[in-house]
Amino acid sequence: KGIKKLMPGRYLVWKEGEKPVITRYFTPEFRPDESRTLQDWADEIHSTLQEIMKEVKDPDEQADSFLSGGVDSSYVLAMSDAKMTDSCGYDEARFDESGLAKQTADLLGRGFSRCRITPEDYFAIVPYVMENMEQPLGDASAIAFSLGCLATAKNTKLCYSGEGSDE
């Protein structure tokens, strides 16, 4: 109770008997580079990702790719040599991107594995995630990501609670 997280770029000095002092040591400055076109930036992202992919794994290693159905994970998959994709989905269609993930995997000729997250799975793992995050987190996707990581690490299509199915 009463404990708060420091804002980025700050440190706290506490001395017994004195009020804590918070000091800001860094203030980011946003200076957009207007000299480059959108295509220049897109080309840089593409070439940087090509370079990074060479460092992700050794040529004799196999890697799966997490696939949400969104642009970022789809692009990373397209740039990789991953043969298998891992995705999480929900029975509630408005929260479920796994259909898009499957379409992307199929389009790119990759395998597809889906971990179905039930409401029970989701809420059962919240204490585990919060303990391992070591700080409060308001990003609900961390819960699904944790379930996906556990399912992938177990090399099975089962979720945290042992429930779930694949498509």
Side-chain angles (χ1 to χ4, degrees):
K1 183 176 180 178
I3 295 177
K4 298 179 182 176
K5 183 176 177 179
L6 289 175
M7 296 294 292
R10 291 168 173 78
Y11 67 88
L12 180 141
V13 174
W14 177 83
K15 294 179 183 174
E16 193 168 347
E18 296 181 22
K19 183 177 177 180
V21 177
I22 297 173
T23 304
R24 186 173 195 154
Y25 64 88
F26 178 76
T27 303
E29 294 181 27
F30 180 66
R31 293 187 212 118
D33 182 353
E34 303 290 345
S35 69
R36 300 178 72 187
T37 67
L38 182 58
Q39 187 61 51
D40 292 337
W41 289 112
D43 290 344
E44 182 174 330
I45 291 169
H46 186 77
S47 62
T48 300
L49 197 52
Q50 281 180 318
E51 290 174 29
I52 290 170
M53 284 302 188
K54 297 173 193 170
E55 300 174 15
V56 170
K57 65 177 192 61
D58 291 330
D60 61 331
E61 293 178 317
Q62 179 181 327
D64 284 16
S65 181
F66 282 117
L67 186 58
S68 70
V71 173
D72 297 347
S73 65
S74 298
Y75 185 66
V76 168
L77 175 63
M79 296 290 294
S80 78
D81 64 355
K83 305 284 185 254
M84 187 67 187
T85 64
D86 301 300
S87 186
C88 290
Y90 305 92
D91 289 336
E92 180 67 42
R94 63 187 171 143
F95 301 123
D96 188 20
E97 295 181 7
S98 66
L100 291 172
K102 174 142 179 41
Q103 289 177 21
T104 301
D106 290 347
L107 179 71
L108 295 172
R110 314 299 172 89
F112 179 77
S113 173
R114 176 182 180 255
C115 171
R116 182 179 61 88
I117 300 174
T118 67
E120 293 79 16
D121 294 329
Y122 188 91
F123 291 109
I125 199 171
V126 168
Y128 168 83
V129 173
M130 292 299 106
E131 179 180 344
N132 287 285
M133 295 295 277
E134 298 181 346
Q135 63 182 347
L137 180 71
D139 183 358
S141 67
I143 309 292
F145 187 70
S146 295
L147 286 164
C149 288
L150 287 170
T152 300
K154 291 178 183 178
N155 198 21
T156 179
K157 295 174 179 78
L158 299 178
C159 289
Y160 172 75
S161 69
E163 301 294 319
S165 65
D166 64 323
E167 293 183 347

